[in-house]
Amino acid sequence: MRRTVFNEDHEAFRETLRAFIEAEVVPVYDEWFAAGQAPRDFYHKLGDLGIFGINVPEEFGGAGLDSHKFEAVLYEETARAGVQFGGSGVHVLLALPYIKMLATDEQKKRYLPKFVTGEEMWAIAMTEPGTGSDLAGMKSTARLSEDGTHYVLNGAKTFITGGVHADRVIVCARTSAPTAEDRRHGISLFAVDTKSEGYSVGRKLDKLGLKTSDTAELAFVDVKVPVEDLLGEENKGFYYLGHNLASERWGIAFGAYAQAKAAVRFAKSYVQERTVFGKPVAHFQNTKFELAACQAEVDAAEAVADRATEALDAGELTPAEAASAKLFCTEVAHRVIDRCLQLHGGYGYMNEYPIARLYADNRVNRIYGGTSEIMKSIIAKDMGL
């Protein structure tokens, strides 16, 4: 079946991106993997390539487009090459929508030009130790000073992707106590400068997968945040977080589909080259049947991912549809990648093979952005159950 989601511009971008990955990422990726993060100057290269400015208005140095399809191409090409772009995905997929939706004109003039070039990398800090997916249970606070010029931020966050290299972090904190009627009331969002006194980066977390993505713990001790860095209105943060969950879950869904597609490519190549009992592994019927079944699942996931992409670009992707796409694509990727690793035999367990890294990278897709169980709850509620 012919795909219709991409046009000539997207394919031209794909060619440029593929060449960039081959020249700038593949040769040094093992070094990044060992270091547990991509180097900070790599993000300047992404800025020079225009990756960060695709959806940023032209007046702030971007391309002025309003589409997630270029991000979709990026997911496919990084998965195809078996690499990750460090923690930069959060910069574009998660942080940018909040800036575009909530920032004032003055804030956009301060934030976006440096965002586009990679001079300022952004992250977002929601999760706290002990709260997990229960964002309404967060304990971090931001109290307005008596003179009204700044907030005083205190608290801690964990699992913050891009947290080591971030120059600004969108921090979620309580500006008011929750009410008896609404636990979600009282959360606000702040664009916090990581150079602020009292702001500190704790451990760089040692993860099962996504090894080149710097994930950290953050702590805030009496951090002064100017009132000019409040994003949106006070106490409406939970609403803002919910508004952008659909695009976040789309990104996880599409990324998972792209990983599953890459896994089939890796496995197909391996079984055609690997010989056992005097024959290529691809010669055996079980191998053919396994890869055929995997390909069928990838085809289905591609259709779901493409449909979600079109709906997102049209502004029509509902929370339930995003949850459905995430649930389906991540579960497909889980099954497909596991079966493709099995076809590699013992070599599939070695990190020198991309399928092993893909297996570890993929596992978190069913956890972050809302677990598979939460996705089922959202879908069931939409069904009236």
Side-chain angles (χ1 to χ4, degrees):
M1 294 179 287
R2 185 174 65 88
R3 295 179 82 184
T4 58
V5 69
F6 299 125
N7 61 28
E8 293 180 358
D9 290 338
H10 302 122
E11 296 305 330
F13 174 68
R14 184 188 302 278
E15 291 182 14
T16 299
L17 185 59
R18 187 173 296 183
F20 173 83
I21 290 171
E22 288 298 322
E24 300 288 345
V25 182
V26 171
V28 294
Y29 195 71
D30 286 346
E31 297 174 20
W32 297 5
F33 190 85
Q37 61 187 32
R40 179 63 178 84
D41 62 2
F42 173 68
Y43 298 137
H44 292 293
K45 294 180 180 180
L46 291 180
D48 292 342
L49 191 63
I51 296 292
F52 297 150
I54 292 171
N55 290 328
V56 173
E58 292 183 49
E59 62 188 294
F60 304 115
L65 303 180
D66 189 18
S67 172
H68 288 79
K69 293 181 180 180
F70 292 94
E71 292 172 53
V73 172
L74 190 149
Y75 285 128
E76 289 187 336
E77 290 304 307
T78 51
R80 179 184 182 276
V83 301
Q84 298 278 340
F85 279 179
S88 65
V90 167
H91 184 70
V92 174
L93 181 64
L94 299 189
L96 182 58
Y98 289 101
I99 301 172
K100 291 176 67 176
M101 178 175 71
L102 302 176
T104 64
D105 289 342
E106 184 275 331
Q107 287 175 323
K108 289 177 181 177
K109 290 177 182 177
R110 282 195 290 126
Y111 300 152
L112 288 176
K114 294 180 180 179
F115 180 100
V116 169
T117 62
E119 181 180 346
E120 278 193 354
M121 293 300 296
W122 287 61
I124 184 164
M126 303 184 207
T127 306
E128 296 184 357
T131 63
S133 298
D134 182 19
L135 295 180
M138 69 176 61
K139 305 297 183 183
S140 295
T141 60
R143 304 301 184 198
L144 188 63
S145 63
E146 291 185 5
D147 61 7
T149 61
H150 62 272
Y151 292 85
V152 180
L153 174 65
N154 284 282
K157 301 289 182 177
T158 192
F159 305 146
I160 308 307
T161 303
V164 175
H165 284 319
D167 301 288
R168 277 196 183 268
V169 176
I170 298 174
V171 177
C172 313
R174 286 204 165 277
T175 43
S176 296
T179 64
E181 297 77 20
D182 188 2
R183 295 177 62 241
R184 300 169 297 180
H185 172 78
I187 296 172
S188 301
L189 307 184
F190 300 90
V192 179
D193 186 340
T194 63
K195 297 185 296 295
S196 301
E197 184 177 352
Y199 180 104
S200 63
V201 178
R203 292 186 302 151
K204 180 166 73 68
L205 300 174
D206 184 15
K207 307 184 298 298
L208 170 67
L210 301 178
K211 288 292 190 179
T212 64
S213 172
D214 54 305
T215 304
E217 296 173 330
L218 306 179
F220 323 111
V221 179
D222 294 335
V223 177
K224 293 183 178 180
V225 183
V227 293
E228 292 82 8
D229 286 329
L230 170 70
L231 283 174
E233 297 181 38
E234 264 195 11
N235 303 323
K236 291 189 176 182
F238 199 94
Y239 164 77
Y240 299 143
L241 295 174
H243 185 273
N244 283 329
L245 278 175
S247 63
E248 178 183 354
R249 288 168 179 163
W250 163 82
I252 298 169
F254 203 99
Y257 140 70
Q259 290 176 324
K261 182 177 181 179
V264 173
R265 176 175 177 266
F266 296 145
K268 178 183 175 183
S269 176
Y270 179 82
V271 300
Q272 288 175 327
E273 297 173 1
R274 173 70 168 163
T275 299
V276 296
F277 306 117
K279 298 177 181 179
V281 176
H283 176 81
F284 297 95
Q285 187 181 67
N286 179 70
T287 303
K288 296 175 183 179
F289 280 9
E290 282 293 286
L291 281 178
C294 287
Q295 184 61 54
E297 290 216 73
V298 168
D299 287 343
E302 180 179 88
V304 170
D306 285 356
R307 185 181 69 176
T309 303
E310 296 284 18
L312 183 63
D313 271 12
E316 299 172 354
L317 185 65
T318 68
E321 289 169 344
S324 179
K326 180 182 185 294
L327 176 65
F328 183 77
C329 291
T330 57
E331 293 292 340
V332 164
H334 162 64
R335 293 191 296 269
V336 167
I337 294 170
D338 183 73
R339 293 162 83 176
C340 288
L341 187 150
Q342 186 74 13
L343 289 173
H344 282 70
Y347 289 104
Y349 205 65
M350 301 297 112
N351 273 327
E352 65 187 276
Y353 282 80
I355 191 68
R357 298 180 183 183
L358 194 58
Y359 183 86
D361 290 348
N362 168 76
R363 185 58 185 88
V364 75
N365 289 333
R366 292 182 289 147
I367 299 174
Y368 66 3
T371 63
S372 291
E373 291 73 24
I374 288 177
M375 297 304 99
K376 291 174 184 176
S377 296
I378 294 170
I379 298 165
K381 183 177 181 180
D382 186 67
M383 295 170 65
L385 299 175

